[in-house]
Amino acid sequence: MTRTLLLVESNTTGTGRLFARQARELGFEPVLAAADPARYPYAAEDGVRVVRCDTADACAVLAADIGEPAGVTSSSEYFIPVAARIAAKLGLPGPDPLAVTECRNKAHQRAVLGAPCTVATSVDAAVAAAVEFPVVLKPAEGSGSVGVLRCETPEAVASQAAALLSVTHNERGLPVPAQVLVEPYASGPEYSVELFGDVVVAVVRKHLGPAPFFVEVGHDVPATVPPADELALIDTSRAAVAALGLGFGAAHVEIRLIPDGPRLMEVNPRPAGGMIPELVRAATGVDLVAAQVSAVLGLPPDLRASRRACASLRFLTASSTSVLEAGDAVAKASAVPGVAEARLYRADGTVVRPARDYRDRVGHVLAVSDRPRGARAAAAGALDRLRAALIPEGPHR
């Protein structure tokens, strides 16, 4: 009998394909359960078997033609709870289903961790909660900075709260609670701590695009943070993961360093998105996707660092409405010394708006060096060349 790994939905970019490939490298056949298989062109390209079913319901997935999987997981933020429930029903390794379900709700996170936050269920309540500006509004459940906005006035709060409360289902068609989080703005550099169980795999320096949005436009590994600050980031992350009842497999913990110390942004019970697993692998040799797949299959994950390099990733975003015309931009970016990868995500002729969330990123470059400054400089130089693919839209185009 063929041993299989069941993937409940998937990321549409980045690590989704890597989960399936890693399963095969370990000798398991990936099976992708999907409500809409058309979301995943890579499945047909890589010959991944797809089972169409209602993936919002663990029982519906179990009733589908999935065979007897040896492990169950998801690379999609939205379907980790469903995968955890299926694994528990089958007696397979996985995180606690209740813990990951509750963790997906940021209001629950704030309550458990005592983070400053008001949960509003109406526009008036959101405006009343904005006592001192700026404030940050975000949906109680979400991913990739979708719907997250820094607000400077009561009018901006009212507008954003109304927009968020009008959303009843997320981009995958799953229902979302009618809750808006109103939080004080935390001014300071942002980091993420990549944990696997209680093992610290990497501390990542994150770079954000211009306000009022919070689009991640780059990452660096290592973070090159002072030792005392790094220890504070790590301690904060471990305490948060333990308090939320997590600890199986990967956790991606986002934190800002404000003058008073670490301010927890959120905890994600999964490997990071935004190409961070590939960045970590380039810098340390630790493959977080391989580790996660191994863990859900009951195999020992390999978390031993095999290299000590510096890696930087920068995303291509548009500063004004533009049209994508690749030309030789990828080739020129790839030719920069130290660049390991340069990619565009969209076809020529795609109209690109200024970035508001992760969906507006249209490419990336990844650079590796033996020094942080070298990796950052190579990534910046390659990004400048890749930017030639964005042609500003206008009358003189």
Side-chain angles (χ1 to χ4, degrees):
M1 180 181 294
T2 302
R3 300 182 302 170
T4 63
L5 171 67
L6 175 63
L7 301 169
V8 183
E9 300 286 354
S10 168
N11 285 354
T12 51
T13 60
T15 57
R17 178 175 233 155
L18 298 180
F19 271 69
R21 288 180 175 176
Q22 187 58 44
R24 283 180 170 156
E25 287 189 19
L26 291 172
F28 294 79
E29 189 63 27
V31 176
L32 176 63
D36 179 10
R39 285 183 178 273
Y40 311 113
Y42 79 80
E45 293 166 5
D46 294 358
V48 175
R49 184 164 79 89
V50 180
V51 175
R52 185 189 291 269
C53 57
D54 178 6
T55 48
D57 183 349
C59 292
V61 177
L62 286 166
D65 182 23
I66 61 170
E68 297 181 7
V72 184
T73 191
S74 178
S75 60
S76 169
E77 167 88 12
Y78 303 115
F79 294 93
I80 290 170
V82 176
R85 289 194 288 273
I86 295 170
K89 286 179 180 291
L90 295 177
L92 298 172
D96 178 80
L98 179 60
V100 295
T101 299
E102 292 182 335
C103 185
R104 283 222 62 242
N105 186 281
K106 296 178 177 62
H108 170 79
Q109 285 192 24
R110 302 308 191 267
V112 171
L113 301 174
C117 168
T118 299
V119 181
T121 56
S122 70
V123 172
D124 288 345
V127 172
V131 177
E132 186 174 340
F133 290 93
V135 295
V136 176
L137 267 65
K138 62 181 66 172
E141 293 184 6
S143 179
S145 301
V146 176
V148 183
L149 190 74
R150 177 172 137 174
C151 298
E152 306 283 351
T153 65
E155 293 76 17
V157 170
S159 175
Q160 183 65 4
L164 293 176
L165 290 171
S166 71
V167 177
T168 59
H169 292 74
N170 63 27
E171 60 185 310
R172 293 302 189 96
L174 302 175
V176 295
Q179 296 176 319
V180 175
L181 274 59
V182 183
E183 302 178 343
Y185 174 69
S187 179
E190 188 164 325
Y191 301 87
S192 70
V193 179
E194 309 307 322
L195 294 169
F196 201 94
D198 63 355
V199 176
V200 178
V201 178
V203 178
V204 182
R205 175 70 161 93
K206 304 168 78 68
H207 301 276
L208 303 181
F213 305 106
F214 292 83
V215 183
E216 295 179 3
V217 296
H219 313 293
D220 301 321
V221 176
T224 60
V225 64
D229 288 341
E230 181 174 72
L231 182 60
L233 291 169
I234 290 170
D235 288 347
T236 299
S237 300
R238 282 179 165 153
V241 166
L244 291 166
L246 305 174
F248 177 91
H252 170 63
V253 185
E254 298 176 331
I255 303 172
R256 282 202 173 192
L257 272 181
I258 64 174
D260 292 340
R263 171 75 64 83
L264 193 70
M265 295 290 101
E266 62 182 63
V267 179
N268 301 279
R270 54 168 174 79
M275 298 297 295
I276 288 177
E278 289 298 276
L279 185 74
V280 170
R281 186 164 66 89
T284 70
V286 177
D287 189 331
L288 284 166
V289 171
Q292 189 77 359
V293 170
S294 294
V296 300
L297 289 168
L299 304 174
D302 186 358
L303 302 175
R304 297 169 298 175
S306 60
R307 67 176 69 102
R308 189 174 181 179
C310 303
S312 291
L313 186 139
R314 297 292 182 268
F315 288 105
L316 178 65
T317 58
S319 56
S320 62
T321 302
S322 303
V323 176
L324 191 68
E325 294 182 5
D328 59 358
V330 171
K332 287 185 174 180
S334 301
V336 173
V339 169
E341 183 179 54
R343 281 184 54 201
L344 292 172
Y345 308 151
R346 308 282 189 269
D348 280 2
T350 302
V351 177
V352 181
R353 70 177 184 179
R356 299 178 185 176
D357 58 57
Y358 80 100
R359 294 170 296 187
D360 298 314
R361 301 187 301 217
V362 293
H364 75 261
V365 295
L366 171 62
V368 183
S369 176
D370 58 354
R371 294 181 180 275
R373 183 178 297 178
R376 293 194 298 266
L383 186 65
D384 283 343
R385 297 188 182 190
L386 196 64
R387 200 177 302 282
L390 291 176
I391 310 301
E393 195 175 51
H396 302 298
R397 178 176 172 260

